[in-house]
């Protein structure tokens, strides 16, 4: 069997699932089964793809058998395959969590199809080797996320969604402009081909201009400073399961796109592009964490922390050394799982404590010690407490920073780690340690939370394992970083021996 | 070895269940583990006391040079024995002390977790795994300080202790990274044997960062304030973590690194300066305090300062003095804290001024307290005396500043005697004072720990060779970097240290006579504390949150227009900057080939855009946008892209129709912006437009390469079987794009469907309810019309703030 088709499965499976669930929109149980089993299947295929890519090397599928660079190619290199696995993990966890939390009327209005298609968009973005096709997947995930964001139709949701969609459309417009300019300059859309042709140009400065346009378009998607406004405006408004998948995946698509183009295509003028990235990283870390320090609502705190963590990931790219890229990829792996989980935990805190406001929460440690443990694992990991996953992610990045003598970045990264802990302990002290402000809650806490506990526990176990067994994760990140730093391998795999 | 360390964590996981199993004696049950470990470590004594060391290594994270490797030499074995030995008594003690506390099970979890972490710190050979355990002690300490978590004070102090030590921890990690880079390895056994570390370019930053970590952990001034505040923890925790073991982690680290990083002027200066400062600050504050645990906590600060100072001196005597003093301190301070717990538990006494004459009702406790205090005061023949003599000898023989350091040490000693006298005499002797609880000697579980530790102080004092027997010499050798030739003795003859010791004893006792007078005399401290480091810390924290609030309100201000301005402004700056760097910007401007109809369309486009912006009515603006769109469609047609032109016409038609339908329900434009705002917006819009124009012109001027379009021209017929190239591209060459776009349409459809139907209080939609819904809708229709206007107004206002 020709295993190249494997590359398309992480896109095809959720597309099919989305279409299937649309046809059974009024059959709740069918939708749920499709959600849980379908995402599990997706996860299996993704893991298979990752293992296959790790063993055999970069996998390329020429869609419709049109040869590169003329047709569209799907490419699974280590970074892409890792991202797909992470997306599938998040999707699976969200689907499980949704089984118990999503209301029937939301299911009736397409919750599950939207979820599947969102995953299709995300996986498509991770796997495509074509810059315009990347734009298409961005559109898929933007529209899917917009529809998920407004599901429920509350005023706060609408308001957040308007800001979300306006700023993201601006990003899409910039992205499209950049694609147009690229096509105008080199007359091709295949990313490997663009890389080859751009490198052959005499005037690299014009290439840098286009690079800067891509940089801003993706930085908006990644919610980097000073372009992150859409994220804190909207992420706290939808249902928790939706927030969780957004927190885990959406901004990371932007980060992934930055990693892709600024390692494959735009590497000639790193003195300009990567220096800008470095300062973006520094301010993103700082403004994000300070934003969180000013919040007293769990989901808002977590939303701002997404931003500050994005800074760390961009830092890995900006330093652009082998170790820094390893650190960046490691950070992404750690972050997606931890962040999605924290939102899921926040949802359970809401179910059991009756609020997202720190002022109104309390007594969770006394009454729900299991939840307390499951909060502490991702929260401390986010803050970089060893031996959890976040510690090694931060450690690698800081070591890379020290080696590169990027003192500002190192200093800020350390400070932000401390302030992240500050925020997490704020939640812990108020929601868990503090006695419950109301001795007898008016609404009895919903029971039958076992599935939610299992979902959160699964992700928490992954966080612990990434920490305790960091070596295999590191090896994958190392392979991904090596492929990124040596784009010739990617280009060779896509274009074959036909490179001019 | 790995099992020894991990067993604590494993037991910690099962502690709540074992606690239920063990009932009243669960403390004893769990204490079996440290007892076993103590025996295990004691079995290494013969090897270690001959000056050898043992190493164990387990792979963990070789990619980053991190492994679980353990190094057992004199220094780590001394600590390991203290941790397991005192840990044994603390578990038994804690089980009884907190017998009626509902969270006792969780207490055991954290205490055992701490024990494992602390063992990891002192046994680790690898710096990074040392750091991992180091941070784990911080976290478990946090959980224990905040053990009574429903009290706000405990939460606050746990938070403070955590922030201070984690700040130091992060500095320490960076220092370790540098140290690893300088030495080429994270293994202590390699680092300590490598030369030239002190000449390395990174020596100074690495040293300062590591010192920051060690100083915060070991509560050196000006970070000393977290330690007395940590006394919010239950007393067994104070006895174990915050006097005998964890706070000594910083000192341990300094001692450990001394052979590699010590010996420089910076090392000497930093350690002796901060050490002496901490010693004086600690003992001075101790002499003024009256709370039982406060007095002991501050005197712990003093001891930590003394140890740091000794490590700074770095001489052979100082090394031996440090390990001796450390052992003596762990014994008497552990005992005294447990006595403090007994005072609270059995008599309800938390303050020295509340108690007196307890010797009648608590005779056994009195004996223990006095014995331990005598060692604290450094009175012959207790072990504290040996430590104090060595301390004075080391200070007197210091290579620099020995006069200043000696004076500081003597002053500290005088106050130590005062503190020891307070502890030994105040609650037990004198007139009987009424206590909150009826005082009685406690149960064996509470008494055995302090009794054994205090007795050991006496035994080691009388027979220092038992303690010596190689272990202390081996430990001192590890600190000093080469074998130490000295030996311990109780009696050093009549010499200067003895004279200084005697005179400080007398002065200290005199001071005790006028203790309340001394406290009044030093009342100025009340005002001094207002500018002390704790206030600085709190100001910093407050300042940080205030700045955070200001920054967030400024950036995330809730106005979409500001977000757009910032985003577009960033585009202009970054892309504009990149454009300015282009050496020769060739803009492809030529008006030669222009034809009349093209000019006409261009003029139409510009005018419709301008009017759309300037006009005051929605309808006119929409019409103008439509004109703009059709103009673009015309352009496509003239440049032979008929398909695209047709698509554009369709899209524009539908858009205009939809907009008109929607706008019908919206109110008229209202002018809310000031002229200045309009000008600003116009500038930004204009600059963005200009930038895009320049980009397009520049790119069309720079095109040098053949594109992929020829392939499509040649192959759409033969391979794609279609003569319309655009069609073939859409459905074949780039079919995946089209597939994606089809799903985009489907998604939009779902979204719109949900947006229309699924609103809060939406109408029911199941089949059976359709008819009812229809009727309901008719009645609501008129009302909705009236509401529409009000709602639109409200949403305009609401969009100003995200709250």
């Amino acid at each position: 069997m020709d295993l190249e088709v494997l590359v398309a499965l992480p896109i095809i499976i959720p597309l099919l699932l989305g279409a299937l669930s649309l046809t059974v929109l009024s059959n709740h149980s069918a939708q749920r089964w499709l959600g849980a089993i379908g995402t599990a299947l997706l996860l299996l295929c993704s893991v298979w793809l990752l293992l296959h890519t790790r063993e055999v090397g970069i996998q390329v599928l020429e869609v419709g058998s049109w040869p590169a660079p003329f047709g569209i190619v799907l490419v699974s290199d280590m970074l892409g395959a890792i991202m797909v696995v992470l997306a599938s993990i998040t999707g699976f966890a969200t689907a499980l969590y949704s089984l118990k939390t999503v209301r029937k009327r939301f299911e009736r209005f397409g919750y599950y199809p939207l979820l599947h298609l969102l995953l299709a968009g995300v996986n498509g973005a991770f796997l495509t080797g074509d810059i315009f096709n990347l734009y298409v997947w961005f559109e898929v995930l933007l529209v899917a996320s917009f529809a998920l964001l407004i599901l429920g139709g509350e005023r706060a949701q609408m308001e957040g969604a308007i800001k979300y969609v306006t700023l993201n459309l601006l990003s899409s417009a910039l992205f499209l402009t950049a694609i147009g300019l690229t096509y105008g300059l080199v007359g091709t859309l295949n990313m490997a081909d663009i890389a080859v042709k751009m490198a052959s140009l005499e005037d690299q400065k014009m290439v840098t201009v286009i690079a800067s346009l891509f940089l801003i378009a993706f930085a908006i998607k990644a919610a980097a400073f000073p372009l992150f406004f859409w994220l804190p405006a909207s992420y706290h408004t939808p249902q928790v399961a939706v927030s969780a998948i957004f927190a885990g995946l959406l901004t990371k698509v932007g980060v992934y796109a930055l990693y892709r183009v600024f390692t494959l295509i735009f590497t000639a003028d790193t003195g300009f592009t990567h220096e800008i990235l470095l300062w973006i990283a520094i301010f993103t870390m700082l403004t994000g964490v300070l934003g969180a320090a000013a919040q007293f609502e769990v989901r808002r705190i977590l939303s701002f922390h997404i931003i500050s963590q994005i800074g760390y990931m961009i830092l890995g790219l900006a330093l652009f050394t082998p170790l820094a890229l390893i650190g960046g990829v490691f950070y992404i792996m750690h972050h997606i799982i931890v962040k999605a989980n924290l939102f899921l935990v926040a949802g359970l805190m809401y179910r059991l404590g009756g609020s997202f406001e720190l002022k109104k929460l309390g007594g969770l440690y006394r009454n729900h010690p299991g939840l307390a443990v499951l909060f502490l694992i991702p929260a401390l990991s986010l803050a970089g407490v060893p031996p959890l996953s976040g510690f090694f992610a931060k450690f690698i990045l800081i070591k890379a920073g020290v080696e590169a003598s990027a003192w500002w970045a190192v200093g800020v990264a350390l400070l932000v780690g401390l302030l992240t802990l500050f925020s997490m302990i704020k939640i812990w002290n108020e929601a868990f340690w503090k006695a419950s402000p109301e001795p007898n809650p008016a609404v009895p806490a919903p029971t039958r939370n076992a599935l939610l506990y299992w979902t959160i526990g699964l992700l928490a176990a992954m966080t612990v394992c990434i920490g305790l067994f960091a070596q295999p994760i590191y090896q994958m990140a190392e392979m991904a970083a090596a492929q990124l730093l040596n784009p010739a391998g990617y280009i060779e795999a896509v274009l074959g021996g036909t490179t001019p | 070895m790995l099992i020894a360390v991990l067993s604590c964590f494993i037991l910690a996981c099962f502690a709540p269940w074992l606690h239920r199993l063990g009932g009243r004696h669960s403390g004893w049950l769990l204490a079996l583990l440290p007892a076993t470990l103590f025996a295990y470590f004691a079995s290494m004594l013969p090897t270690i006391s001959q000056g050898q060391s043992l190493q164990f290594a387990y792979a963990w994270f070789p990619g980053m040079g991190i492994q679980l490797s353990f190094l057992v030499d004199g220094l780590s074995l001394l600590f390991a024995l203290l941790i397991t030995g005192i840990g044994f008594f603390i578990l038994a003690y804690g089980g009884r002390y907190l017998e009626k506390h509902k969270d006792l099970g969780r207490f055991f979890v954290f205490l055992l977790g701490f024990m494992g972490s602390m063992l990891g710190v002192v046994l680790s050979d690898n710096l990074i795994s040392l750091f991992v355990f180091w941070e784990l002690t911080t976290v478990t300490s946090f959980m224990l300080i905040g053990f009574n978590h429903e009290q706000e004070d405990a939460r606050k102090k746990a938070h403070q202790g955590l922030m201070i030590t984690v700040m130091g921890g992060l500095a320490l990690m960076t220092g370790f990274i540098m140290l690893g880079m300088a030495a080429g390895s994270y293994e202590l056994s390699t680092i300590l044997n490598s030369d030239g570390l002190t000449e390395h370019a990174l020596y100074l930053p690495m040293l300062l960062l590591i010192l920051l970590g060690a100083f915060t952990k070991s509560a050196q001034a000006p970070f000393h304030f977290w330690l007395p505040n940590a006394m919010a923890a239950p007393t067994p925790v104070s006895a174990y973590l915050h006097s005998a073991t964890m706070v000594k982690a910083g000192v341990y680290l300094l001692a450990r690194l001394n052979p590699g990083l010590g010996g420089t002027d910076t090392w000497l200066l930093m350690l002796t300066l901060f050490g002496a400062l901490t010693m004086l600050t600690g003992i001075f504050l101790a002499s003024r305090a009256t709370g039982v645990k406060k007095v002991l906590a501050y005197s712990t600060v003093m001891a930590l300062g003394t140890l740091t100072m000794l490590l700074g001196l770095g001489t052979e005597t100082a090394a031996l003095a440090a390990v001796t003093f450390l052992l003596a301190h762990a014994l008497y301070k552990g005992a005294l804290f447990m006595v403090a717990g007994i005072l609270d538990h059995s008599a309800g006494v938390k303050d020295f001024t509340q108690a007196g004459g307890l010797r009648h009702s608590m005779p056994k406790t009195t004996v223990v307290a006095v014995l331990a205090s005598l060692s604290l005061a450094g009175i012959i023949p207790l072990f504290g005396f040996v430590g104090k003599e060595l301390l004075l000898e080391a200070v007197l023989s210091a290579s620099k500043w020995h006069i200043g350091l000696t004076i500081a040490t003597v002053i500290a000693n005088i106050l130590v005697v005062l503190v020891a006298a307070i502890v030994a005499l105040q609650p037990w002797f004198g007139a009987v004072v009424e206590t909150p609880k009826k005082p009685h000697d406690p149960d064996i579980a509470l008494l055995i720990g302090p009794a054994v530790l205090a007795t050991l102080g006496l035994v080691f004092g009388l027979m220092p060779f038992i303690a010596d027997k190689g272990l202390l010499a081996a430990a001192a050798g590890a600190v000093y970097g080469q074998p130490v030739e000295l030996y311990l003795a109780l009696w050093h003859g009549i010499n200067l240290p003895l004279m200084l010791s005697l005179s400080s004893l007398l002065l200290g006792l005199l001071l005790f006579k006028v203790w309340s007078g001394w406290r009044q005399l030093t009342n100025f401290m009340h005002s001094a504390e207002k500018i002390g480091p704790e206030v600085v810390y709190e100001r910093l924290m407050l300042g940080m949150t205030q700045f955070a609030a200001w920054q967030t309100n400024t950036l995330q201000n809730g106005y979409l227009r500001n977000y757009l301005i910032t985003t577009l402004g960033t585009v202009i700056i970054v892309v504009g900057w990149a454009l300015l760097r282009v050496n020769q910007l060739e803009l492809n401007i030529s008006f030669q080939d222009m034809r009349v109809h093209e000019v006409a369309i261009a003029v139409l486009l510009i005018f419709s855009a301008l009017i759309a912006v300037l006009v005051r009515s929605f309808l006119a603006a929409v019409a103008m946008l439509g004109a703009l769109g059709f103009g673009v469609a015309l352009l496509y047609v003239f440049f032979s892209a008929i398909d695209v032109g047709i698509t554009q016409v369709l899209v524009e038609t539908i858009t205009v129709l939809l907009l008109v339908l929607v706008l019908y329900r919206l109110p008229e434009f209202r002018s809310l912006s000031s002229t200045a705002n309009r000008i600003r917006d116009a500038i930004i819009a204009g600059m963005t437009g200009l930038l895009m124009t320049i980009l397009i012109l520049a790119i069309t001027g720079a095109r040098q390469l053949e594109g992929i379009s020829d392939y499509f021209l040649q192959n759409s017929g033969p391979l794609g079987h279609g003569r319309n190239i655009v069609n073939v591209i859409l459905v074949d060459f780039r079919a995946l794009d089209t597939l994606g776009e089809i799903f985009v349409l489907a998604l939009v459809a779902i979204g719109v469907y949900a947006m229309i139907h699924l609103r809060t209080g939406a109408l029911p939609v199941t089949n059976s309810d359709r008819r009812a819904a229809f009727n309901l809708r008719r009645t609501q229709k008129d009302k909705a019309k009236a509401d529409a206007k009000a709602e639109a107004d409200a949403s305009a206002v609401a969009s100003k703030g995200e709250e």
Side-chain angles (χ1 to χ4, degrees), chain B residues 289-583:
Chain B
T290 59
V292 177
K293 288 176 77 178
K294 280 267 165 169
V295 171
L296 294 177
Y298 278 124
S299 79
T300 306
V301 173
M302 183 282 301
L304 296 168
T306 312
L307 287 167
T308 307
M309 183 180 75
L310 283 171
L311 291 169
L313 295 176
T315 59
E316 206 174 350
T317 327
L320 190 64
V323 291
T324 314
F325 190 86
L326 186 141
L327 175 59
H329 177 260
L331 295 178
Y332 65 67
K333 196 54 71 64
L336 285 177
F337 261 112
M338 288 194 258
V339 167
I342 294 173
L343 265 179
D344 188 4
H345 196 257
S346 309
V349 172
K350 292 180 189 333
D351 195 293
F352 280 119
T353 54
Q354 293 173 345
L358 287 173
R359 71 176 188 282
H360 303 295
S361 44
M362 304 171 72
K364 293 176 193 158
T365 317
T366 311
V367 173
V368 172
V370 170
L371 206 55
S373 309
L374 287 176
S375 191
L376 166 65
I379 288 169
I380 202 162
L382 287 127
F383 196 51
F385 172 77
V386 182
K388 191 189 264 186
E389 294 298 290
L390 278 168
L391 162 66
L392 284 164
E393 266 181 51
V395 174
L396 281 166
S397 63
S399 60
K400 282 186 184 170
W401 313 304
H402 59 272
I403 297 176
L405 290 177
T406 310
I407 294 173
T409 311
V410 171
I411 293 175
N413 268 346
I414 295 169
L415 292 173
V416 168
V417 174
L418 164 64
V419 168
I422 297 167
V423 181
L425 305 175
Q426 187 72 23
W428 319 105
F429 298 93
V432 176
V433 176
E434 195 68 25
T435 50
K437 287 188 201 167
K438 192 177 175 309
H440 57 91
D441 261 332
D443 171 322
I444 179 84
L446 290 182
L447 202 56
I448 186 155
V452 170
L453 295 181
T455 314
L456 276 179
L458 181 64
V459 173
F460 287 168
L462 289 171
M463 294 170 278
F465 49 87
I466 297 184
D468 193 10
K469 203 60 189 169
L471 178 60
L472 284 183
V479 178
Y480 186 56
Q482 39 189 297
V484 168
E485 299 291 326
L486 299 173
Y487 61 95
L488 292 185
L490 185 60
W491 185 247
H492 286 226
I494 298 173
N495 54 12
L496 188 54
L498 187 67
M499 305 312 291
L500 290 174
S501 217
L502 277 178
S503 43
S504 54
L505 184 64
L506 285 175
L507 283 169
L509 286 175
L510 277 177
L511 214 48
F512 176 62
K513 284 282 163 206
V514 291
W515 183 38
S516 55
W518 165 255
R519 292 209 308 272
Q520 293 204 328
L521 190 70
T522 53
N523 248 343
F524 64 87
M525 276 310 292
H526 277 303
S527 42
E529 271 161 18
K530 283 186 189 131
I531 50 164
E534 184 167 7
V535 179
V536 172
Y537 165 83
E538 270 165 12
R539 288 270 162 81
L540 273 176
M541 279 300 178
L542 187 67
M544 189 275 292
T545 44
Q546 283 172 348
F547 176 75
W550 169 83
Q551 178 230 255
T552 311
N553 287 336
T554 311
L555 282 174
Q556 194 72 29
N557 48 39
Y559 292 100
L560 182 57
R561 58 174 178 279
N562 290 351
Y563 300 164
L564 284 171
I565 289 171
T566 316
T567 309
L568 289 176
T570 314
V571 174
I572 293 167
I573 292 170
V574 174
V575 181
W577 184 16
L579 259 181
L580 289 179
R581 293 167 76 251
V582 178
N583 303 326

Side-chain angles (χ1 to χ4, degrees), chain B residues 602-680:
Chain B
V603 172
L604 171 74
L605 289 176
I606 293 170
F607 266 92
S608 46
L610 277 177
I611 293 171
V613 173
L614 295 173
V615 81
R616 293 232 145 196
S617 114
F618 264 134
L619 210 57
V622 169
M624 282 302 123
L625 283 179
L628 188 71
F630 286 115
V632 174
L634 275 179
L635 273 186
Y636 287 138
V637 172
F638 282 123
F639 286 92
S640 13
I642 307 272
D643 316 55
V644 187
I646 292 170
T647 316
Q648 176 82 8
V649 168
L650 285 174
V651 169
E652 285 302 328
T653 314
I654 294 170
T655 311
V656 169
L657 282 177
L658 280 176
L659 274 176
V660 169
L661 284 175
V662 171
L663 292 180
Y664 173 70
R665 298 194 129 210
L666 291 183
E668 283 293 288
F669 266 136
R670 278 189 302 170
S671 184
L672 295 169
S673 313
S674 66
T675 317
N677 283 347
R678 282 164 185 277
I679 292 173
R680 179 198 61 195

Side-chain angles (χ1 to χ4, degrees), chain B residues 12 23 32 68 97 120 197 206 288 345 350 379 402 408 412 421 441 471 483 557 579 682 696 738 763:
Chain B
L32 287 175
L68 280 171
Y97 186 83
L197 280 179
M206 133 195 3
R288 286 183 31 73
H345 196 257
K350 292 180 189 333
I379 288 169
H402 59 272
D441 261 332
L471 178 60
N557 48 39
L579 259 181
I696 289 164
T738 313
L763 300 168

Side-chain angles (χ1 to χ4, degrees), chain A residues 66 130 133 159 184 187 366 468, chain B residues 60 103 703 732 734 737 801:
Chain A
W66 295 109
D130 186 283
N133 195 237
E159 224 183 283
R366 164 82 56 234
L468 291 183
Chain B
W60 185 12
D103 289 336
R703 174 101 185 233
D732 202 341
R734 300 187 62 88
D737 286 344

Side-chain angles (χ1 to χ4, degrees), chain A residues 15 22 63 66-67 69-72 74 105-106 108-109 114 117 130 132-133 136-137 139-140 143-144 147 150-155 158-159 163 166-167 170 174 177 181 183-189 197 201 203 205-206 208-210 212-213 216 220 226-229 232-233 269 272 276 287 290-291 293-295 300 304 323 365-366 369 385-387 391-392 395-396 398-399 402-403 407 414 418-419 421-422 425 428-429 433-435 467-468 470-471 474, chain B residues 60-64 66 102-103 106 110 128 131-132 135-136 139 142-143 146 149-150 155 158-159 162-163 166-167 170 173-174 177-178 181 186 541 544-545 547-549 551-552 555-556 558 560 563-564 566-568 570-571 574-575 577-579 581-583 585 692 695-696 698-699 702-709 711-712 719-720 732-734 736-737 739-741 743-744 747-748 750-751 753-755 757-760 765 791 798-799 801-803:
Chain A
L15 279 183
L22 261 183
V63 179
W66 295 109
F70 309 107
I72 294 173
L74 296 178
R105 55 195 200 103
F106 293 167
R108 252 203 80 75
F109 284 103
L114 290 172
L117 294 181
D130 186 283
F132 185 78
N133 195 237
V136 172
W137 296 121
E139 266 196 271
V140 172
V143 177
I150 56 166
L151 210 57
E154 283 169 28
R155 172 151 284 168
M158 291 296 176
E159 224 183 283
K163 285 161 188 164
T166 310
L167 292 165
L170 185 62
L174 291 170
T177 312
L181 294 175
Y183 189 75
L185 194 63
V186 293
T188 184
L189 292 169
K197 297 219 166 107
L201 291 179
D203 188 5
K205 292 282 163 52
M206 206 58 221
T208 308
V209 174
I210 296 179
S212 65
L213 213 52
I216 291 179
I220 295 176
L227 311 160
F228 55 68
F229 308 110
D269 198 5
F272 182 78
I276 292 181
T287 47
L290 286 175
Q295 307 298 322
R300 282 172 183 265
F304 272 103
L323 190 63
Y365 175 67
R366 164 82 56 234
V385 171
F391 164 69
F392 291 107
F395 175 75
I396 299 172
I398 285 172
K399 181 164 190 222
V402 171
E403 281 181 355
W407 302 120
L414 290 171
L418 184 65
L419 292 179
L421 186 64
F422 174 86
I425 297 303
W428 173 257
N429 273 358
W433 263 2
K434 187 178 71 189
L468 291 183
Q471 180 66 15
Y474 172 85
Chain B
W60 185 12
F61 188 0
M64 292 299 291
I66 302 169
K102 49 188 166 183
D103 289 336
R106 296 179 193 183
F110 300 126
I128 305 305
F131 178 75
V132 169
E135 291 291 87
L136 282 176
V139 174
F142 166 78
M143 299 303 288
H149 52 85
E150 282 168 359
R155 292 200 299 272
H159 189 267
L162 183 73
M163 284 324 250
V166 167
M167 177 192 72
L170 289 169
M173 180 178 84
T174 319
I177 289 174
M178 291 179 182
M181 281 163 63
Y186 289 126
M541 279 300 178
M544 189 275 292
T545 44
F547 176 75
Q551 178 230 255
T552 311
L555 282 174
Q556 194 72 29
L560 182 57
Y563 300 164
L564 284 171
T566 316
T567 309
L568 289 176
T570 314
V571 174
V574 174
V575 181
W577 184 16
L579 259 181
R581 293 167 76 251
V582 178
N583 303 326
L585 196 60
M692 291 301 155
L695 280 177
I696 289 164
I699 291 294
R703 174 101 185 233
Q704 296 155 356
L705 298 165
E706 278 307 304
I708 52 172
S709 44
Y711 177 87
F712 297 137
L719 295 178
D732 202 341
F733 289 127
R734 300 187 62 88
L736 191 61
D737 286 344
L739 180 72
E741 293 296 347
F743 275 100
V744 170
L747 284 164
V748 172
I750 304 173
Y753 177 62
M755 207 182 337
H757 285 281
L758 186 68
R759 304 183 55 173
T760 11
V765 284
E791 204 170 294
S799 65
E802 275 147 23
E803 291 306 318

Side-chain angles (χ1 to χ4, degrees), chain A residues 132-148:
Chain A
F132 185 78
N133 195 237
L134 179 63
Y135 172 80
V136 172
W137 296 121
F138 267 49
E139 266 196 271
V140 172
L141 73 92
L142 174 62
V143 177
S145 59
F146 177 72
L148 281 170

